Amino acid sequence: GEDVEQSLFLSVREGDSSVINCTYTDSSSTYLYWYKQEPGAGLQLLTYIFSNMDMKQDQRLTVLLNKKDKHLSLRIADTQTGDSAIYFCAESLPGGGADGLTFGKGTHLIIQP
Amino acid sequence: DVKVTQSSRYLVKRTGEKVFLECVQDMDHENMFWYRQDPGLGLRLIYFSYDVKMKEKGDIPEGYSVSREKKERFSLILESASTNQTSMYLCASSSQEAGGDEQYFGPGTRLTVT
């Protein structure tokens, strides 16, 4: 069965880089996603990576995928107070997304001044 | 931009009441989902639907039912609310077109059952 694991908390200083890690178990994943949830809000799609890629960069965000180790990471450069949120890793499996994504439990990113 | 709206941001109901949570999306998406989110448990899928009048059980369907009479609307029903259904409920939708299965979420409904 599929399972997505994340650390529950990450604390970084403002201005440093944040690296949020995720592991998944199903090697047939097609897409892997990072969502951001700010307090009291729904989930916002940040970025995603197709399983045949190993890196994707979008402004301050860098996604790295290691298929061999089934490891996904999200790096946020120059972390700001507005980055404080819960970050969810999610995977979709072959057959399309009609039966939902599998989410990790979320990583709380805490920014220290 | 995709917009997913939920009928209420906050809701307080009593044990035993019938509760309706409504979700509407404006992007003509085929797939719609209901999740609940609890601290330390992440998101858990309750029900999903891939077409009008179609519904499938997710991981935790007990105590819930759903209705999809129109493509844009997906309702979650708590037939007899209980205190263990106090939670944040998130609705999402996605397209069946090729190229990605990303889901778009509504703002959530925080339900308290007393």
Side-chain angles (χ1 to χ4, degrees), chain B residues 73-86:
Chain B
R73 188 181 296 269
F74 192 34
S75 303
L76 180 70
I77 303 152
L78 287 66
E79 295 289 342
S80 177
S82 63
T83 55
N84 63 10
Q85 292 178 310
T86 290

Side-chain angles (χ1 to χ4, degrees), chain A residues 30-31 33 35 37 40-43 45 48 86 88 92-93 96-101 103-105, chain B residues 9 31 33 35 37 40-43 45 48 50 88 90 94 96 99-103 105-107:
Chain A
T30 52
Y31 288 91
Y33 303 86
Y35 282 85
Q37 184 182 34
L43 274 68
L45 178 66
Y48 66 92
I86 305 175
F88 290 91
S92 69
L93 300 176
D99 54 353
L101 304 178
F103 287 86
K105 291 183 170 51
Chain B
R9 292 299 304 273
N31 306 323
F33 309 86
Y35 295 89
Q37 182 182 12
L41 297 177
L43 274 72
L45 182 64
F48 61 95
Y50 55 87
M88 169 73 100
L90 293 166
S94 71
Q96 288 181 5
D101 309 321
E102 59 265 31
Q103 295 184 6
F105 283 81

Side-chain angles (χ1 to χ4, degrees), chain A residues 1-4 22-33 49-53 65 67 70-72 89-96 101-102, chain B residues 101:
Chain A
E2 64 263 16
D3 200 9
V4 178
C22 170
T23 57
Y24 58 98
T25 55
D26 199 310
S27 58
S28 58
S29 298
T30 52
Y31 288 91
L32 294 134
Y33 303 86
I49 189 166
F50 189 50
S51 58
N52 69 353
M53 298 169 64
L65 175 61
K67 281 199 76 175
K70 300 191 188 72
H71 182 265
L72 181 74
C89 169
E91 64 173 346
S92 69
L93 300 176
L101 304 178
T102 301
Chain B
D101 309 321

Side-chain angles (χ1 to χ4, degrees), chain A residues 39-99:
Chain A
L43 274 68
Q44 171 196 0
L45 178 66
L46 270 184
T47 186
Y48 66 92
I49 189 166
F50 189 50
S51 58
N52 69 353
M53 298 169 64
D54 52 18
M55 178 177 161
K56 181 178 180 180
Q57 188 151 6
D58 182 5
Q59 299 182 337
R60 291 192 298 123
L61 305 179
T62 303
V63 179
L64 295 177
L65 175 61
N66 181 330
K67 281 199 76 175
K68 175 175 166 290
D69 295 338
K70 300 191 188 72
H71 182 265
L72 181 74
S73 68
L74 174 69
R75 179 177 179 269
I76 305 172
D78 187 24
T79 308
Q80 305 295 310
T81 54
D83 296 324
S84 180
I86 305 175
Y87 291 82
F88 290 91
C89 169
E91 64 173 346
S92 69
L93 300 176
D99 54 353

Side-chain angles (χ1 to χ4, degrees), chain A residues 10-28:
Chain A
L10 175 67
S11 179
V12 298
R13 289 196 172 183
E14 190 175 358
D16 287 351
S17 291
S18 307
V19 180
I20 303 170
N21 295 301
C22 170
T23 57
Y24 58 98
T25 55
D26 199 310
S27 58
S28 58

